[in-house]
Amino acid sequence: MGKILYYCGFFLFIIGLIMYPYYLFEGKLFIGGDDTRLLYVYPADFLKNWAFYTWNSVSSVSFNNPGFHFIPFLVFWSGIDSIIRNKTVINYLAFSLPLIVGFVFMLFFLSEIIEKKRRAEYFVAALMYAMSPIFFLHQYPIFLTPVWLIGLIPLVLYLGILYVKTKRFVYLVILSGVSILFSFVFYTFAWILGFIIPVLTGLVFFKILRIKLLKNENWRAILVVLFAIGLPQLFWGIPFALSLFSNTEASLSSRVFSQQTTDTFSPTVLSTAIGNIFFPLTNLFHRQIILDYNWSSIGSFVSTYQRILPLLFVFPLTIFIALFLIGKNIQDKIFIKKYMVFFVIFLISLYFFTVNIGFLKYAFLYFGRIPGFVMFRNFYDKFEIGYVFFYSVIFCLSLVLVIKQHPRIGKFLLALSFLSIAVASYPNKELINNEVWRSKGYFKTVELPREYLDFVNDVKKIVPEDEQIIGIPFNNAAYSVILDENSKNAYVGTSPLKILINRNDITGDLSLPAEGVERINKFILDRNYDEIKKVLYEYNINYVMVTKNIPYKFGFNYFVETKKNAAQDKAFINAIAKEKLLESQKGNYELYSTFTKSRIFSENISYRRISPVSYEITLIDKKPENVVLFKETFHPEWKLMKGADYNPFAKEVGKHLPLQPYGNKWEIGDEEIGSKFYLYFQPQSYFLIGLIITVALYTIFIIMLKKYKRNIYK
Amino acid sequence: MKKIRAFILLVLIPILLLAVWFAGSLFFNKAESFTTLTYRSNDVSFTSFPNEGILRNGEKITGSFNAHEKHLGTVTLLLNESIRQDDDYYLQLKIRKSTSNKWLYEIKDRSRSFKEMGHYTFGFPILNNNKEEKIVFEITAEKIAPYNLIKVSKKNLLLNTKYKFNKAEIVQSPLRFLSFVYTKISLFITNPEMLIATNHFFIGFALYMIGVLYITKRLTNFANVTLALIALDIILVRTQIGVINVSLFLLLIASVIQNKKKSAWSLQVAFALFILSAVFSIFGQYTYIDKASTWVYLFLIVFTVQKVRELRFAKKL
């Protein structure tokens, strides 16, 4: 009977999680922000327009940013999309999946590491994990790629443990499959390291105390599991790693590991390490960060969480009771050992999630000297998922221990913790479907209006793929604001033009290099229209797209400074735009041509664009000065070769130099008129190299494993 | 001779150090000058008060209270808000004597400019009022954003009233001076905020007493001395000071080794400090939680190392 009830409850809860977004978002799309989340709604477009290339631009000038890691998931999700054929349903499914996978596999993982017959304890601990207020305060509302780790970590660990225990080959195959499907999640390696670092530090701790944790065969099995996960990632890992080595302005590494990022490590840590371990121990996010940085969740924190705080003490209380009981009358030494291992890792992850723990804060600042550690400057974000995971595990182990020793107290704590989780989920809707930052009454869920979608489809017919658009108002980010037709809601995020119609628009300060931003902002404020036209010409911008329905209340001065916004008035549009080419149905969007028509190549070249990474070009005039000018961000690996086709062994033609202020220049010498050239972005070929290496190494790995399995584990 | 020494060590010096605490708190208190008296409790009779205690745009709170002393110069209001920093609003206070219908002072300011921990302190030129004279006030808020909530409670609305005396009046006679000092001390020791604001003057007394207790073997255990020092660090040192923190942690490790303390001891202390943090959180004393919870973590580190060593794991997983 109990078993039937449990399974009924389990399936009802899964159905509840599937339906949850319908309650949270009330039928509107949950899209926007830096990552747009449009990939979950328009996966096929995202795949076609972005994921296949290593040279990419989304509302910014192009740079070397390989997107291959998205391919497997987008292929899979496009298949789901073609079956479901409803944007809202597929959007909501994407939201529910990390929660469901996280909940289900946390439950399975706990049953594997503890013992089978503890269903109620595992249910509550898995619930505590998937429904953690920490995630609802910080991860789910922004829903960036790392949110998938909430599901993926327990899933991978569960499959890994099954393999370590049974050595059955099928688990490795499933693990590799999961690893390939979710390659885009493995791309968020900083968050993965946020999970791994506490584990490794814990292992070092036990090593120092000379305590051996696992049998040698289990260590070897873990190594095999790591290979099964890691090898399938090489198809994108190799081009990505190589892109890190190319130290140019247009490389990803130059953005991630820039001097500016390094220099801001200590100030960022010092200004955000203001929490303490108390609130994380009650399964809440750092109160002081929310208050000091004026997060939109401030109201929920004050009105709900602080009121139910005594109820949330049940989690640390259970752990303390278990710690008091540990070693007393418990014969199961394996259980105690597991408990202590997870407790150590939990303590370490608590430190990394908090940092502000007395003198240990200075140790963290010192870690900033380790190359690459700067990626943890927003530690509370990177270590958060690992922390909640280990907290849930140690809570579950504590609950089991207390129930074993004192069943009555244990069951009371179990019921109380279930109640706490339920009560703490009360403000979830307010937290997820929250207001646009400082917008005074505009919410983030949206229905993209028909007017906008029709308009951008018409834009696609007018604007060629290799020419760019400037979005007005030119704002402080690289954002577009698209107002919902029937409510005050709005899409606020990176411009969706690239994903929807494969056209790039330059919309704000983050779209251009620093030099370009400085100039354009100055000229806008000075109303120096001739100079603005010059900047547009230099950056190959031939169209102006004006959004007219952004209300003043919409956080101006934060979205665009008031002065800068005021300067982008009718006179400004008339001065930089030549002719109105298009107007949307209700007049909220307009497209204009610019006065001076720019070209991606110099006038002496005729060309055919094959893809964003390859062009077939012909020299039609020797002027100016036997050069080829190419208006894309300078990168030394743009390779100009002779001939009409791509030849990987062909020699580079001419001298490749940066064009000031923007672009590439080749001095090609005395070439004949009519000569044909092929321009190719060399790092694109690394994808193929990565793919070949992945298949080859993975095949070798599987064959070796099949052949020498017995010897490996002996 | 022994008795005199004991008297000096156990009575005289502690009294002197306590006197330092009082003197420092009365004469060198940055939060309040010596010539000011702060009264916390105020019996207010309200003539109008908003429905459900929610303050809305333009709505007035009016009431009166009896001045505790002459020379009223400051009133502090306590508002409970769910507000964001950028959502500023205007708060106005009018004040008059009950004997006249003319408002003596009208003070209006942006909420953010004079807010401190939810308290709004209105200062104005000193009122020429008599002791026990009825003072009438009116509070109005303007430009409150529609989604902000400002709650007020009849019980705690008028949190503090301050009365500023001039020096000549206090020292006009020895009796008057003593009477003023007596009032000042009695108000000081019943005002938790003031006690917290001046607790650094207490450090000398506390350290001395720990030393005396250790030397006289009343604190027999080195670990307990460390505990006492950690307690002082939590209660008296308001900010995290790295050097103190490291020194105390090293002292803790040394005392655990020297006194052969078991893991249970560290866990008990960690648990006690956690309960203390919980109590602080319930009473909204968030600055103390920082310190107490830091020590919870450090004690848990010590506990973990002790426990792992005690358990002597042999079997591999």
Side-chain angles (χ1 to χ4, degrees):
Chain A
M1 186 63 186
K3 208 171 176 179
I4 295 169
L5 266 176
Y6 170 79
Y7 284 112
C8 282
F10 178 80
F11 286 111
L12 275 176
F13 184 69
I14 299 294
I15 293 168
L17 283 182
I18 294 171
M19 303 309 291
Y20 202 38
Y22 293 84
Y23 158 72
L24 295 174
F25 308 129
E26 298 168 346
K28 291 187 181 290
L29 293 177
F30 179 55
I31 49 177
D34 288 342
D35 279 13
T36 73
R37 299 194 286 271
L38 283 166
L39 80 157
Y40 306 120
V41 186
Y42 297 96
D45 295 314
F46 201 93
L47 183 70
K48 195 172 66 189
N49 297 332
W50 195 78
F52 284 118
Y53 303 106
T54 191
W55 184 253
N56 268 309
S57 56
V58 181
S59 195
S60 77
V61 292
S62 308
F63 70 107
N64 184 10
N65 180 19
F68 312 124
H69 49 286
F70 273 109
I71 294 173
F73 177 78
L74 288 173
V75 170
F76 169 74
W77 205 245
S78 300
I80 302 280
D81 183 39
S82 63
I83 296 166
I84 291 177
R85 290 174 175 275
N86 183 311
K87 297 299 178 200
T88 312
V89 175
I90 196 158
N91 183 216
Y92 290 2
L93 187 63
F95 181 84
S96 296
L97 262 185
L99 274 94
I100 295 170
V101 177
F103 170 73
V104 172
F105 285 95
M106 184 67 173
L107 210 142
F108 291 172
F109 168 74
L110 290 170
S111 69
E112 279 306 319
I113 60 158
I114 307 178
E115 53 195 41
K116 297 282 177 191
K117 290 177 183 173
R118 292 281 170 193
R119 283 192 292 263
E121 291 89 316
Y122 304 152
F123 189 93
V124 169
L127 202 62
M128 173 187 172
Y129 173 66
M131 301 296 285
S132 168
I134 295 179
F135 291 154
F136 275 94
L137 281 159
H138 191 231
Q139 288 294 338
Y140 296 139
I142 46 174
F143 210 84
L144 300 178
T145 311
V147 84
W148 287 90
L149 285 173
I150 294 169
L152 208 58
I153 287 173
L155 170 61
V156 167
L157 289 178
Y158 171 66
L159 290 170
I161 284 182
L162 284 184
Y163 179 75
V164 172
K165 276 185 174 178
T166 63
K167 314 286 187 297
R168 286 183 63 193
F169 191 68
V170 65
Y171 296 124
L172 277 192
V173 175
I174 300 172
L175 257 176
S176 300
V178 167
S179 161
I180 293 170
L181 180 63
F182 289 101
S183 302
F184 76 114
V185 186
F186 284 89
Y187 184 79
T188 61
F189 55 91
W191 283 263
I192 296 173
L193 282 176
F195 175 82
I196 292 172
I197 287 172
V199 178
L200 292 179
T201 319
L203 294 180
V204 170
F205 170 81
F206 285 102
K207 185 79 189 163
I208 291 169
L209 292 180
R210 293 183 188 171
I211 291 165
K212 289 186 178 170
L213 294 178
L214 294 176
K215 294 171 190 161
N216 285 344
E217 64 165 78
N218 288 340
W219 281 120
R220 284 176 196 153
I222 289 172
L223 204 65
V224 169
V225 167
L226 292 177
F227 270 108
I229 298 167
L231 279 179
Q233 303 299 324
L234 290 178
F235 77 96
W236 68 267
I238 289 174
F240 174 74
L242 289 172
S243 77
L244 292 179
F245 287 115
S246 73
N247 191 21
T248 69
E249 243 185 58
S251 73
L252 189 66
S253 59
S254 71
R255 293 181 177 216
V256 177
F257 300 110
S258 65
Q259 193 58 37
Q260 193 189 1
T261 313
T262 313
D263 291 346
T264 54
F265 178 78
S266 293
T268 311
V269 171
L270 285 170
S271 58
T272 51
I274 47 179
N276 54 54
I277 65 157
F278 182 75
F279 288 97
L281 277 180
T282 52
N283 206 11
L284 291 176
F285 194 80
H286 298 295
R287 176 185 175 275
Q288 207 56 43
I289 295 181
I290 293 175
L291 254 61
D292 282 13
Y293 288 91
N294 200 20
W295 285 12
S296 54
S297 47
I298 207 167
S300 306
F301 208 100
V302 174
S303 62
T304 307
Y305 293 135
Q306 272 183 210
R307 285 185 189 172
I308 62 163
L309 203 55
L311 198 59
L312 299 175
F313 292 156
V314 65
F315 303 114
L317 192 67
T318 308
I319 295 172
F320 269 111
I321 294 174
L323 289 173
F324 278 114
L325 292 175
I326 207 156
K328 284 182 184 168
N329 309 320
I330 290 185
Q331 300 306 316
D332 187 353
K333 290 201 169 171
I334 293 281
F335 181 89
I336 296 172
K337 191 169 187 176
K338 281 179 194 167
Y339 187 95
M340 285 314 293
V341 169
F342 277 103
F343 185 71
V344 168
I345 298 171
F346 158 72
L347 269 189
I348 296 164
S349 61
L350 175 60
Y351 160 60
F352 282 114
F353 178 51
T354 307
V355 173
N356 185 28
I357 303 177
F359 64 92
L360 295 176
K361 179 160 82 175
Y362 303 102
F364 191 87
L365 291 172
Y366 193 76
F367 297 153
R369 297 181 185 187
I370 301 168
F373 199 82
V374 288
M375 73 174 91
F376 298 112
R377 62 189 180 148
N378 49 354
F379 56 89
Y380 53 87
D381 182 28
K382 302 293 191 304
F383 291 98
E384 183 178 72
I385 297 172
Y387 169 70
V388 178
F389 178 84
F390 290 116
Y391 189 29
S392 307
V393 173
I394 200 67
F395 172 72
C396 185
L397 283 161
S398 303
L399 207 52
V400 170
L401 202 148
V402 177
I403 288 176
K404 272 183 175 179
Q405 292 262 332
H406 300 285
R408 280 187 159 197
I409 297 173
K411 283 174 186 168
F412 174 72
L413 290 171
L414 179 82
L416 204 61
S417 44
F418 181 79
L419 181 72
S420 307
I421 296 162
V423 174
S425 65
Y426 173 72
N428 287 354
K429 186 173 181 174
E430 189 184 312
L431 290 168
I432 297 273
N433 189 8
N434 55 15
E435 222 174 26
V436 178
W437 196 53
R438 300 185 179 188
S439 72
K440 316 244 184 232
Y442 285 86
F443 285 81
K444 282 178 191 166
T445 49
V446 69
E447 241 173 278
L448 285 178
R450 197 68 256 162
E451 183 194 6
Y452 178 80
L453 293 172
D454 288 345
F455 178 77
V456 295
N457 274 326
D458 291 338
V459 169
K460 188 181 178 182
K461 290 171 197 159
I462 295 172
V463 179
E465 275 178 290
D466 54 7
E467 292 179 24
Q468 304 195 106
I469 302 166
I470 186 167
I472 303 295
F474 189 80
N475 55 71
N476 296 342
Y479 271 18
S480 280
V481 175
I482 305 160
L483 242 65
D484 195 323
E485 235 163 359
N486 307 314
S487 66
K488 275 178 87 180
N489 295 18
Y491 170 92
V492 183
T494 305
S495 166
L497 236 59
K498 181 74 180 181
I499 290 131
L500 296 177
I501 60 165
N502 196 22
R503 300 295 181 272
N504 189 35
D505 60 345
I506 302 292
T507 55
D509 290 358
L510 300 180
S511 302
L512 294 172
E515 175 274 342
V517 175
E518 202 179 306
R519 280 166 66 211
I520 201 162
N521 280 332
K522 182 180 183 305
F523 301 145
I524 288 174
L525 290 173
D526 295 350
R527 291 185 178 269
N528 190 342
Y529 301 130
D530 287 338
E531 287 297 327
I532 294 173
K533 285 180 202 166
K534 211 169 149 188
V535 175
L536 298 185
Y537 179 79
E538 284 164 2
Y539 284 91
N540 191 28
I541 297 168
N542 289 335
Y543 299 89
V544 181
M545 181 173 155
V546 184
T547 304
K548 294 168 72 181
N549 62 345
I550 306 173
Y552 185 77
K553 274 188 176 179
F554 194 88
F556 274 101
N557 217 18
Y558 302 102
F559 176 60
V560 199
E561 284 105 353
T562 313
K563 276 186 186 172
K564 186 166 138 185
N565 183 51
Q568 296 179 68
D569 54 9
K570 211 165 181 181
F572 169 83
I573 309 263
N574 289 338
I576 65 161
K578 186 181 171 189
E579 184 191 349
K580 190 192 276 183
L581 302 172
L582 205 58
E583 185 172 352
S584 67
Q585 219 173 18
K586 294 179 183 173
N588 289 322
Y589 307 96
E590 289 170 348
L591 183 79
Y592 297 86
S593 61
T594 52
F595 278 96
T596 327
K597 181 100 174 148
S598 175
R599 269 183 114 229
I600 193 163
F601 283 98
S602 42
E603 295 292 336
N604 59 339
I605 298 292
S606 80
Y607 68 96
R608 186 170 72 89
R609 184 184 195 260
I610 299 160
S611 74
V613 293
S614 47
Y615 295 83
E616 201 184 283
I617 63 176
T618 311
L619 190 69
I620 55 169
D621 195 344
K622 288 199 174 189
K623 287 174 185 173
E625 301 162 357
N626 285 349
V627 291
V628 175
L629 306 180
F630 176 53
K631 281 186 187 170
E632 278 280 19
T633 317
F634 174 77
H635 195 291
E637 293 200 66
W638 274 106
K639 196 173 171 185
L640 184 70
M641 58 198 99
K642 205 143 188 199
D645 298 308
Y646 173 62
N647 176 3
F649 305 106
K651 260 190 167 182
E652 202 169 353
V653 177
K655 195 177 175 190
H656 185 190
L657 299 162
L659 176 68
Q660 294 305 336
Y662 175 73
N664 298 259
K665 175 184 175 183
W666 284 268
E667 292 171 357
I668 52 171
D670 200 19
E671 292 286 345
E672 290 295 314
I673 290 177
S675 298
K676 289 198 177 297
F677 299 93
Y678 199 90
L679 179 63
Y680 187 67
F681 187 60
Q682 195 63 32
Q684 182 71 20
S685 63
Y686 302 157
F687 173 54
L688 195 66
I689 297 167
L691 203 61
I692 292 166
I693 293 174
T694 306
V695 174
L697 284 182
Y698 193 71
T699 313
I700 294 167
F701 164 68
I702 296 296
I703 293 168
M704 298 277 280
L705 193 68
K706 278 271 185 193
K707 202 171 175 185
Y708 300 109
K709 188 177 167 186
R710 286 189 178 175
N711 294 342
I712 291 171
Y713 296 118
K714 264 185 183 174
Chain B
M1 191 63 189
K2 244 185 180 180
K3 276 184 182 175
I4 295 169
R5 223 175 94 188
F7 174 77
I8 293 170
L9 284 175
L10 298 176
V11 181
L12 193 63
I13 295 179
I15 287 174
L16 281 173
L17 287 170
L18 274 179
V20 167
W21 175 35
F22 280 117
S25 304
L26 297 183
F27 297 108
F28 304 103
N29 183 356
K30 282 181 187 169
E32 183 181 291
S33 72
F34 175 69
T35 55
T36 304
L37 293 178
T38 302
Y39 284 83
R40 269 178 68 78
S41 58
N42 291 287
D43 291 328
V44 180
S45 61
F46 290 95
T47 47
S48 76
F49 200 78
N51 270 345
E52 299 164 357
I54 297 167
L55 190 57
R56 296 178 179 87
N57 276 324
E59 202 167 359
K60 290 181 170 65
I61 302 174
T62 49
S64 60
F65 63 93
N66 289 337
H68 292 276
E69 300 282 348
K70 291 176 181 176
H71 316 302
L72 177 66
T74 307
V75 298
T76 303
L77 305 176
L78 178 66
L79 308 181
N80 185 7
E81 307 150 293
S82 68
I83 191 168
R84 300 190 218 156
Q85 280 174 10
D86 57 320
D87 296 327
D88 219 358
Y89 58 93
Y90 285 88
L91 204 57
Q92 186 185 50
L93 177 86
K94 291 181 185 175
I95 210 147
R96 66 176 165 85
K97 292 180 184 177
S98 63
T99 48
S100 154
N101 280 333
K102 193 187 165 199
W103 293 111
L104 292 172
Y105 301 113
E106 294 180 22
I107 313 122
K108 187 176 177 180
D109 212 339
R110 291 172 79 92
S111 58
R112 199 170 12 167
S113 59
F114 65 112
K115 179 186 179 180
E116 193 187 338
M117 304 286 285
H119 302 169
Y120 293 89
T121 303
F122 291 91
F124 40 85
I126 293 159
L127 233 64
N128 189 19
N129 62 296
N130 292 319
K131 195 172 176 177
E132 297 299 326
E133 186 170 358
K134 199 174 179 181
I135 307 289
V136 180
F137 67 90
E138 183 185 290
I139 301 160
T140 325
E142 289 170 15
K143 295 187 180 174
I144 306 170
Y147 44 87
N148 281 332
L149 190 71
I150 303 175
K151 285 198 90 175
V152 281
S153 151
K154 280 186 177 177
K155 199 177 161 194
N156 281 326
L157 176 69
L158 196 60
L159 196 68
N160 288 337
T161 43
K162 290 191 179 193
Y163 305 85
K164 175 90 178 157
F165 291 80
N166 61 48
K167 274 183 192 165
E169 198 177 349
I170 298 168
V171 294
Q172 63 182 256
S173 69
L175 199 64
R176 173 70 190 128
F177 179 75
L178 285 175
S179 154
F180 183 85
V181 170
Y182 172 77
T183 314
K184 181 93 186 161
I185 291 175
S186 57
L187 287 172
F188 166 70
I189 57 174
T190 54
N191 187 341
E193 281 170 25
M194 214 45 84
L195 285 172
I196 290 167
T198 58
N199 61 17
H200 47 285
F201 292 115
F202 187 70
I203 292 176
F205 173 76
L207 281 174
Y208 178 79
M209 288 312 288
I210 289 171
V212 166
L213 289 172
Y214 186 65
I215 291 162
T216 55
K217 294 186 180 166
R218 279 165 212 260
L219 262 180
T220 48
N221 207 315
F222 184 36
N224 290 345
V225 176
T226 311
L227 268 190
L229 290 170
I230 289 169
L232 284 183
D233 178 46
I234 294 170
I235 298 164
L236 301 180
V237 185
R238 265 170 284 162
T239 50
Q240 298 266 18
I241 299 169
V243 181
I244 295 180
N245 204 236
V246 173
S247 313
L248 286 177
F249 185 61
L250 292 176
L251 200 62
L252 172 67
I253 293 169
S255 57
V256 163
I257 294 167
Q258 202 209 9
N259 293 153
K260 291 180 183 156
K261 288 284 181 190
K262 296 278 180 199
S263 63
W265 177 81
S266 310
L267 185 63
Q268 282 161 9
V269 180
F271 184 64
L273 289 173
F274 177 76
I275 297 292
L276 198 68
S277 306
V279 173
F280 285 144
S281 78
I282 289 164
F283 290 102
Q285 296 295 327
Y286 295 106
T287 42
Y288 288 127
I289 299 178
D290 269 3
K291 298 296 291 283
S293 62
T294 293
W295 281 106
V296 171
Y297 190 85
L298 296 175
F299 271 96
L300 281 177
I301 291 178
V302 175
F303 158 78
T304 308
V305 177
Q306 289 172 298
K307 194 75 192 176
V308 170
R309 292 180 72 90
E310 283 166 17
L311 287 168
R312 294 178 193 281
F313 296 117
K315 206 167 178 178
K316 293 179 193 172
L317 297 173

